[in-house]
Amino acid sequence: MTVSDTPLSAPLDVGFDYTRSTGPVLGRFVNALRERRIEGVRGSDGRVHVPPPEYDPVTAAPLTEFVPVAAEGTVVSWSWCAEPLEGQPLSRPFAWVLVKLDGADTALLHALDAGDPTGVHTGQRVRVRWADETVGHIRDIAYFLPADAPETEPTEPPPPVAKREDGAPVEVVITPVHLHYRHSASPEESRYLRALADGRLIGQRCPACEKVYIPPRGACPTDGVPTTDEVELPDTGIVTTFCIVNVPFLGQRIKPPYVAAYILLDGADIAFLHLVLGCAAEDVRMGLRVRAAWRPREQWWTSLENISHFEPTGEPDAPYESFAHHL
């Protein structure tokens, strides 16, 4: 296998800040944590739940009877984490523990800074190590420590905090979520991406039905046979379907309104999603003829981002019948 045949791979990082309103039950719980207190809620069977559920596990009725519990408890189960991941309570090895706090009847999942696996066992007495800065979040409990252990230093910063007025209760909590992994493209996708780095659009034709797929898939989804014949396609095509984006969202790179559309390249049998700019959003329509607007050559790499967007060519619209079977 030559270098040009080696499938491409690259790190892929996906992340966002998960944001939710707390409501009356979790709101009371996290506001108590901000004051370095822990509160549970009593269910219909008399059990005290920590963390507090919003509805009774037995009757599904709303729960409103809050009960203070201690910041010490007993380990009921544990598992050692030898290689902590980003975003976990500690960056050094620790134990995940289920802790039944004194006064509670259910267990709370959190981290125990035990040093090594010999420092944790079922039935062990533990205590809360509060965060140096409490903000109204489950991470206000930085982690647990063995009840007789000396203080240790947290390794993680406090979580992000939603904006609120000074003195106002916590009504929104933010939890960052991140995934880091390596994505590998198939050999067919790799050839397609390498062609994009040269400013070319490469598809593959099915030898049975003769449909042309871009990006290439390696096999025809209709006939199940390999698509080995490569086809170079032009950078012109038509809009088949589209959506006018009017709502702003986090990470948005273009100010609304703008159009996301499926573009069917001339000679292709499957459309792909891209932006349509260069005209008013209300002027985009099905059958509109468009051409790729490429970024400057020095910005090209193995990505469809080499095409900044598509824009109208000024040619007459394609008749509906010419793309009706590609919607």
Side-chain angles (χ1 to χ4, degrees), residues 35 45 51 113 129 153 176 189 217 220-221 224 247 255 261 263 298 309 313:
E35 299 172 358
D45 57 2
D113 191 10
R129 199 306 186 183
E153 288 301 313
E189 290 171 329
R217 302 182 177 186
C220 177
V247 180
K255 184 179 179 180
I263 310 297
E298 60 272 17
H309 58 274
T313 65

Side-chain angles (χ1 to χ4, degrees), residues 12-36:
L12 181 59
D13 300 328
V14 180
F16 72 103
D17 289 341
Y18 177 72
T19 303
R20 65 157 291 174
S21 56
T22 59
V25 176
L26 292 179
R28 180 156 174 171
F29 176 68
V30 296
N31 280 285
L33 291 177
R34 187 171 58 159
E35 299 172 358
R36 302 193 176 193

Side-chain angles (χ1 to χ4, degrees), residues 242 244 257 259 279-285:
F242 65 95
I244 299 178
V259 174
C279 66
E282 59 267 24
D283 291 336
V284 177
R285 55 199 178 272

Side-chain angles (χ1 to χ4, degrees), residues 10-319:
L12 181 59
D13 300 328
V14 180
F16 72 103
D17 289 341
Y18 177 72
T19 303
R20 65 157 291 174
S21 56
T22 59
V25 176
L26 292 179
R28 180 156 174 171
F29 176 68
V30 296
N31 280 285
L33 291 177
R34 187 171 58 159
E35 299 172 358
R36 302 193 176 193
R37 299 182 295 106
I38 304 176
E39 289 193 351
V41 69
R42 193 183 304 279
S44 61
D45 57 2
R47 292 187 302 158
V48 175
H49 301 271
V50 179
E54 297 173 287
Y55 299 94
D56 194 294
V58 178
T59 66
L63 295 176
T64 57
E65 184 183 350
F66 291 89
V67 180
V69 300
E72 293 190 9
T74 303
V75 174
V76 297
S77 182
W78 63 277
S79 176
W80 188 250
C81 179
E83 298 180 0
L85 302 175
E86 176 189 359
Q88 291 184 333
L90 286 162
S91 60
R92 55 180 174 263
F94 66 93
W96 286 113
V97 288
L98 285 171
V99 178
K100 185 183 292 186
L101 296 172
D102 297 345
D105 295 289
T106 60
L108 169 72
L109 176 66
H110 218 295
L112 174 67
D113 191 10
D116 60 62
T118 63
V120 57
H121 59 271
T122 300
Q124 182 178 19
R125 294 289 296 171
V126 295
R127 60 183 174 85
V128 168
R129 199 306 186 183
W130 293 103
D132 294 335
E133 178 187 353
T134 55
V135 297
H137 195 280
I138 187 62
R139 297 291 287 272
D140 289 348
I141 300 176
Y143 45 83
F144 283 81
L145 286 167
D148 56 355
E151 289 288 305
T152 60
E153 288 301 313
T155 61
E156 304 305 302
V161 178
K163 292 182 180 179
R164 62 177 183 274
E165 295 182 1
D166 291 341
V170 176
E171 296 179 337
V172 173
V173 294
I174 300 174
T175 302
V177 179
H178 294 276
L179 295 174
H180 307 289
Y181 57 97
R182 191 168 192 85
H183 173 73
S184 295
S186 69
E188 294 78 18
E189 290 171 329
S190 296
R191 288 195 289 272
Y192 161 75
L193 293 170
R194 287 189 172 101
L196 279 171
D198 294 330
R200 298 181 298 124
L201 293 164
I202 296 295
Q204 286 189 333
R205 178 182 285 112
C206 171
C209 65
E210 297 191 343
K211 289 182 179 178
V212 175
Y213 297 97
I214 184 170
R217 302 182 177 186
C220 177
T222 302
D223 299 288
V225 298
T227 50
T228 55
D229 297 334
E230 289 191 348
V231 180
E232 185 164 346
L233 297 168
D235 63 357
T236 55
I238 58 175
V239 171
T240 58
T241 59
F242 65 95
C243 171
I244 299 178
V245 180
N246 290 295
V247 180
F249 55 83
L250 185 66
Q252 197 169 34
R253 299 180 182 180
I254 304 174
K255 184 179 179 180
Y258 61 91
V259 174
Y262 276 96
I263 310 297
L264 182 68
L265 294 180
D266 296 335
D269 290 283
I270 190 167
F272 59 81
L273 188 65
H274 217 298
L275 297 171
V276 173
L277 304 175
C279 66
E282 59 267 24
D283 291 336
V284 177
R285 55 199 178 272
M286 297 173 70
L288 179 69
R289 294 282 303 168
V290 292
R291 181 186 302 277
W294 294 81
R295 297 183 186 276
R297 180 65 181 85
E298 60 272 17
Q299 297 180 17
W300 290 0
W301 64 302
T302 51
S303 170
L304 189 57
E305 290 181 351
N306 296 353
I307 297 177
S308 168
H309 58 274
F310 283 79
E311 54 192 20
T313 65
E315 300 171 281
D317 291 356

